[in-house]
């Protein structure tokens, strides 16, 4: 028995393909008909958009990567990076909504898990991070540094949100795989080359 | 970073295991791609260490002997140190190995002499035998008091029906411990030894984001026949001392070991950053030093707790606290490493990419962070946690 990604249940492949399609939309917004490469020369897109790419680990072959492309010009990179952070935001919003729905349907000692104060506090923490990052995204004159900080906040909030799913967040059929893909994309496209003062929950 | 002090015999063990762990990175990467690849690496000394860990010396033809010391890792401290060092090599490899792991602790906690003898006699044979510890359920997680897997009378024995989820190695195991309900209430919980070849037992691998060596599995139990002698402690313990007590004892004994797994991975990723970026300066250097300080402090705390368990002093609040700290530190260290190693490091550095995915497993293994926080709160309320 193996756990190659081809053993994933069909719905998971569907979610990943939808995510890959949304990533392609980011490319389309920035470079119609083409792709945008990262400052370090990496390009990540759906396997359909990058047929010559190698599969990105942990994405079941739905995402592919190629190296040594010339870095994108400034306008395209900016448009793509903005779209990418907003895609991460939407993904986290879906993950939070899914967690609330799931916890409302699970009970412990006869009561919904969503009634637990610790659980409610965790939900609120993620919602607060979503609210703040949405406002940050809407600020005028976005910069690479700001996008990277927003990505860092979304990664931290995503890790908090995954706690709400327990072990199921770690299963390939859970939301952890999608958020991992978003984290990897940010590490590839939004890292400015200098270490930050803070990362994740540090 | 200085090494936390250990008793002399434990230091000797640490040095021995450290040598064995040095060979695990490549096999660990292979197991990440294909969890069955452990079968090709069972000849490694690390696999032998895992296979025999916690099996009492009297069952072993050739127990581990180093510099005049004999080890069976039944000491929580020695087990913790062993697991931490092997996890520095590769946590996934360590978890993929055959051996007693958690099921052995449960058999020790609940089994009678005959049950323990049969279990260890089986595990001490030369062939590789994987085991599992089946507690978590799809609907109730690891809330042991609420589990629903049913043990129903059937003639002079029982039938076992239900489902378990997120159980390490179950799809490859020959035997394991399943916690189940014989009657309502916390005293109605039992632990039974299950032979996975018995009709009605089915287990399959659950694909995961990381830590694929843990070979996390889902179990379906469809009327598996259970004889009375398979119910741990059935003839020797009162119902109030069976089932649930074994689950709690096993988790408490094993949490420092799990913390050791997280701390081994944390040390591995921080050493990796230091090797790859030896000239870090300023804020970046400060971040790395901060993480290394936290690692050393948590290792010392974990060793203290494991030593206390060996001395018969089980402090559930502190056990919960160190498990939580270790799990969170592993995540923080891998997040920081991805940042410190620069753009696209998760793509360009497959070892980092693997540790980054693996580190998230510790949050829910052996009880989630929320569950541990409740135990810490109890310790604060009783004035024991910070005493």
């Amino acid at each position: 028995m193996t756990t190659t990604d081809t053993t994933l249940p069909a719905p998971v492949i569907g979610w990943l393909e939808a995510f890959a399609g949304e990533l392609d939309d980011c490319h389309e917004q920035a470079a119609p008909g083409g792709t945008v490469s990262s400052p370090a020369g990496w390009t990540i897109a759906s396997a359909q958009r990058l047929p010559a790419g190698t599969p990105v680990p942990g994405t079941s072959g739905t995402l592919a990567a190629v190296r040594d492309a010339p870095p994108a010009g400034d306008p395209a990179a900016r448009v793509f990076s903005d779209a990418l952070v907003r895609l991460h935001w939407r993904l986290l919003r879906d993950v939070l909504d899914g967690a609330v729905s799931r916890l409302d349907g699970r009970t412990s000692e006869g009561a919904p898990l969503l009634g637990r104060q610790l659980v409610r506090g965790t939900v609120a923490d993620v919602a607060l991070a979503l609210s703040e990052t949405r406002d940050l995204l809407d600020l005028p004159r976005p910069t690479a540094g700001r996008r990277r900080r927003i990505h860092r906040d979304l990664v931290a909030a995503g890790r908090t949100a995954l706690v709400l799913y327990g072990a199921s967040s770690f299963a390939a059929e859970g939301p952890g795989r999608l958020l991992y893909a978003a984290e990897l994309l940010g590490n590839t496209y939004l890292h400015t080359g200098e270490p930050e003062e803070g990362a994740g929950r540090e | 970073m200085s090494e936390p002090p250990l008793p002399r015999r434990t230091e000797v063990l640490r040095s021995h295991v450290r040598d064995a762990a040095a060979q695990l990175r490549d096999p660990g990467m292979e197991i990440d791609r294909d969890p069955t690849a452990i079968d090709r690496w069972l000849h490694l000394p690390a696999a032998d260490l895992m296979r025999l860990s916690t099996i009492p010396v009297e069952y072993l033809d050739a127990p581990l002997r180093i510099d005049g010391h004999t080890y069976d890792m039944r000491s929580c401290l020695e087990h913790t140190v062993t697991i931490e060092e092997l996890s520095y090599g590769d946590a996934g490899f360590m978890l993929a190995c055959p051996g007693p792991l958690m099921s052995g602790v449960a058999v020790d906690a609940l089994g009678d002499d005959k049950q323990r003898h049969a279990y260890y006699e089986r595990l001490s044979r030369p062939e590789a035998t994987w085991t599992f510890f089946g507690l978590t359920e799809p609907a109730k997680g690891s809330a042991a008091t609420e589990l629903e897997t049913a043990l129903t009378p059937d003639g002079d024995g029982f039938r076992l029906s239900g489902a378990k989820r997120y159980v390490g190695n179950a799809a490859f195991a020959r035997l394991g411990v399943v916690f189940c309900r014989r009657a309502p209430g916390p005293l109605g919980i039992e632990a039974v030894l299950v032979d996975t070849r018995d009709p009605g037992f089915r287990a399959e691998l659950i694909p995961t984001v990381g830590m694929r060596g843990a070979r996390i599995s889902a179990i379906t139990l469809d009327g598996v026949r259970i004889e009375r002698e398979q119910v741990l402690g059935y003839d020797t313990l009162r119902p109030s001392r069976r089932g649930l007590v074994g689950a709690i004892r096993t988790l408490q004994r094993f949490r420092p070991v799990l913390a050791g797994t997280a701390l081994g991975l944390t040390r591995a990723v921080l050493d990796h950053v230091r090797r790859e970026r030896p000239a870090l300066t300023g804020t970046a250097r400060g971040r790395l030093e901060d993480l290394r300080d936290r690692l050393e402090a948590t290792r010392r705390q974990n060793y203290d707790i494991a030593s206390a368990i060996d001395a018969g002093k089980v402090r559930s609040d502190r056990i919960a606290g160190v498990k939580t700290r270790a799990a969170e530190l592993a995540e923080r260290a891998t997040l920081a490493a991805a940042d410190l190693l620069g753009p696209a490091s998760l793509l360009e550095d497959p070892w980092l990419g693997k540790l980054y995915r693996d580190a998230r497993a510790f949050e829910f293994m052996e009880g989630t962070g929320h569950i541990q926080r409740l135990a810490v709160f109890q310790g604060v309320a009783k004035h024991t946690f910070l005493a």
Side-chain angles (χ1 to χ4, degrees), chain B residues 302-325:
Chain B
N302 200 36
Y303 294 164
D304 285 350
I305 286 168
S307 299
I309 289 174
D310 285 339
K313 298 172 193 160
V314 176
R315 299 279 298 274
S316 55
D317 51 350
R318 292 192 182 177
I319 293 171
V322 80
K323 188 268 175 181
T324 305
R325 279 171 54 186

Side-chain angles (χ1 to χ4, degrees), chain A residues 1 148 159 169 183 196, chain B residues 36 287 331 339 356 360:
Chain A
M1 188 182 299
R148 186 177 173 197
R159 297 296 179 106
S169 74
E183 292 179 15
E196 276 208 322
Chain B
T36 64
R287 283 173 66 194
E331 279 201 68
D339 187 48
Y356 187 93
R360 269 207 51 245

Side-chain angles (χ1 to χ4, degrees), chain A residues 1-5 7-9 38-40 42-44 55-58 65 67 102 106-110 113 116 118-119 122 148 155-156 159 162-174 176-177 180 183-184 187-189 191-202, chain B residues 31-36 136-141 143 145-146 165-166 171-172 203-212 216 280 283-284 287 290-291 328 331-332 334-336 338-348 353 356-361 363-364 368-371 373-374:
Chain A
M1 188 182 299
T2 66
T3 55
T4 55
D5 286 343
T7 62
L8 285 171
S38 76
W42 282 92
T43 305
I44 304 175
V56 174
R67 182 138 198 216
R102 176 178 179 274
R106 288 172 73 91
T107 59
S108 176
E109 295 166 349
L113 276 175
R116 296 276 171 95
L118 205 52
V119 171
T122 303
R148 186 177 173 197
V155 169
R159 297 296 179 106
L162 291 179
V163 166
L164 295 167
Y165 286 85
S168 70
S169 74
F170 204 57
E173 65 188 37
R177 183 174 287 248
Y180 168 70
E183 292 179 15
L184 183 139
N187 175 257
T188 304
Y189 278 97
H191 198 302
T192 54
E194 291 296 320
E196 276 208 322
E197 284 197 25
R201 283 183 283 184
E202 282 181 273
Chain B
I31 290 165
D32 184 51
R33 292 188 291 273
D34 171 12
T36 64
T136 303
E137 299 194 348
K140 296 295 181 184
T145 55
E146 298 187 59
R165 204 159 165 83
Y166 311 120
F172 303 89
E204 57 183 13
L205 213 50
I206 300 173
T208 53
V209 179
M211 201 61 88
R212 290 179 159 201
I216 293 170
L280 282 178
T283 304
R287 283 173 66 194
D290 173 55
L291 287 163
E328 293 186 355
E331 279 201 68
R332 291 167 64 173
T334 48
L335 284 163
D339 187 48
L340 292 169
L341 294 181
S345 52
L346 291 176
L347 273 179
E348 294 177 0
Y356 187 93
R357 287 183 285 110
D358 286 350
R360 269 207 51 245
E363 204 286 326
F364 62 84
T368 65
H370 277 180
I371 296 291
R373 279 174 169 76
L374 293 174

Side-chain angles (χ1 to χ4, degrees), chain B residues 52-69:
Chain B
L52 301 181
S53 275
T54 72
I55 296 178
V57 162
E58 59 265 32
Y59 289 94
L60 302 176
D61 292 334
L64 179 63
R65 289 205 171 90
I66 319 163
D67 291 355
H69 303 291

Side-chain angles (χ1 to χ4, degrees), chain B residues 107 158 176 217 230 238 286 288 345 366:
Chain B
V107 171
F158 301 93
S217 309
Q230 289 173 260
R238 295 192 308 274
L288 194 58
S345 52
E366 272 63 278

